[in-house]
Amino acid sequence: MSWNRILLLMLAPALLTACGGGDDDQDYEDSVSVPFGVIFQVNGVQNATAVTIQQVELNADNGYGENCDTDNAADLAGETEYCDDLRNIGIVTFQFRFINNLLRSVPFSFSGVGITIQIERQTGSDPETWELVWDSDAYLRVQYKLFDLPEYDQNALGLNYATGTPYTSLGPAESYPNQDFAALSFRFLTERNFIDDNGNGKFDQDEDRLVALPGTTTAGNLEGSNKCAWVPTLNAETDKYNMPACQSEELPAGTYRATVHYNFAIDGELADPPPVIITVNPVQ
């Protein structure tokens, strides 16, 4: 499986495909279906600034199962809810693709994967009081762990995995991710994914903890807790896993705010999109 697929690059709707033509740069830019720069979608809506999510309950009745070995309940500190086949989620999918629709190559590089998303939860009645609960770098760190990849480095220079070397430019009509995929995707399931231990309002990879449901963590939480595992072991005799997979902490219904930052270095300015307000409804 390629690195791009592991990062959940998803197939394209037609909206994300470049097309057009012209006699010079200006004519070409005026005729293309998408602009130069980042194509940004939230749940399939381009340049969304607000989205409402209905949470749903996943349970055994609608086919959800954690497939963990309930015989290990004693080893899970007596917490049988780890194996009760019950989970509430609401899905917000962020998708990005950088497209060079010019007739010339442009300088292009980035740190991490080029995108950082932070999601805050509004707390209390003060509209200006927010708590940071989710970060895309923490999300990627978990994906790397689940797929047994080397440690994700949020500050590393982005690599062109077709060549194995860092990106320095994008050619005419090229995109990042490349044309084999539509977008770089992140999914927020209305769950907390890290705790801001040092209280500085951002995810610090070497200081802040990832979260394992329902809240028991170890330092860094990369080996799981005594109640869950990042990569559970399957018992061939029972066809059950020794522990449930580590999951994030469920968040309450309410108002959330996603702030997106582009970590791209290009020839010119690239403005971040406006914050996205996420309204999360309770399970009905």
Side-chain angles (χ1 to χ4, degrees):
M1 179 178 291
S2 72
W3 186 89
N4 284 334
R5 291 185 186 277
I6 289 171
L7 287 184
L8 306 181
L9 303 180
M10 301 176 72
L11 293 177
L15 180 63
L16 293 179
T17 303
C19 63
D23 294 331
D24 56 41
D25 278 14
Q26 186 60 50
D27 290 340
Y28 188 75
E29 290 177 36
D30 289 345
S31 65
V32 295
S33 60
V34 291
F36 170 82
V38 178
I39 305 301
F40 167 48
Q41 294 184 343
V42 182
N43 285 2
V45 178
Q46 189 167 341
N47 300 324
T49 58
V51 60
T52 298
I53 301 301
Q54 178 61 54
Q55 290 191 99
V56 298
E57 180 181 276
L58 303 181
N59 55 50
D61 291 337
N62 54 36
Y64 175 74
E66 293 175 349
N67 195 34
C68 61
D69 191 345
T70 55
D71 291 340
N72 285 339
D75 296 331
L76 305 182
E79 299 286 354
T80 58
E81 69 265 25
Y82 283 90
C83 298
D84 64 3
D85 293 338
L86 181 66
R87 189 181 181 196
N88 294 335
I89 68 168
I91 300 175
V92 184
T93 300
F94 301 91
Q95 290 184 305
F96 304 85
R97 191 179 189 191
F98 191 103
I99 297 178
N100 175 20
N101 267 342
L102 303 179
L103 293 179
R104 56 182 173 82
S105 296
V106 295
F108 181 77
S109 61
F110 54 90
S111 59
V113 294
I115 302 290
T116 303
I117 311 167
Q118 292 186 325
I119 297 178
E120 301 164 290
R121 179 175 70 91
Q122 192 174 60
T123 59
S125 59
D126 186 347
E128 297 304 318
T129 302
W130 300 83
E131 176 194 15
L132 187 61
V133 297
W134 191 96
D135 185 277
S136 58
D137 282 328
Y139 170 86
L140 287 172
R141 196 178 187 200
V142 170
Q143 304 311 304
Y144 272 58
K145 182 63 181 178
L146 290 174
F147 287 98
D148 198 26
L149 293 171
E151 179 76 355
Y152 170 68
D153 185 351
Q154 65 197 70
N155 299 311
L157 187 65
L159 292 180
N160 182 337
Y161 280 81
T163 64
T165 58
Y167 273 97
T168 57
S169 67
L170 279 182
E174 287 187 349
S175 69
Y176 164 77
N178 64 38
Q179 286 85 346
D180 291 338
F181 304 94
L184 181 62
S185 297
F186 306 85
R187 291 202 298 171
F188 170 55
L189 302 178
T190 63
E191 295 180 330
R192 177 193 299 271
N193 71 353
F194 88 104
I195 297 174
D196 185 15
D197 284 312
N198 60 11
N200 65 349
K202 65 178 183 178
F203 172 66
D204 295 301
Q205 182 163 307
D206 296 326
E207 299 181 39
D208 296 326
R209 288 172 293 163
L210 302 179
V211 175
L213 186 72
T216 300
T217 61
T218 58
N221 200 23
L222 286 182
E223 299 304 325
S225 72
N226 62 333
K227 302 178 182 180
C228 71
W230 292 111
V231 183
T233 300
L234 183 67
N235 184 322
E237 294 183 1
T238 64
D239 198 31
K240 296 286 185 179
Y241 288 98
N242 62 331
M243 292 182 181
C246 291
Q247 297 175 342
S248 301
E249 176 185 348
E250 182 181 336
L251 292 168
T255 301
Y256 296 79
R257 178 175 64 187
T259 303
V260 178
H261 180 65
Y262 299 143
N263 302 313
F264 298 112
I266 64 171
D267 184 12
E269 296 183 1
L270 181 64
D272 293 333
V276 180
I277 300 301
I278 304 169
T279 301
V280 178
N281 291 332
V283 175
Q284 294 181 342

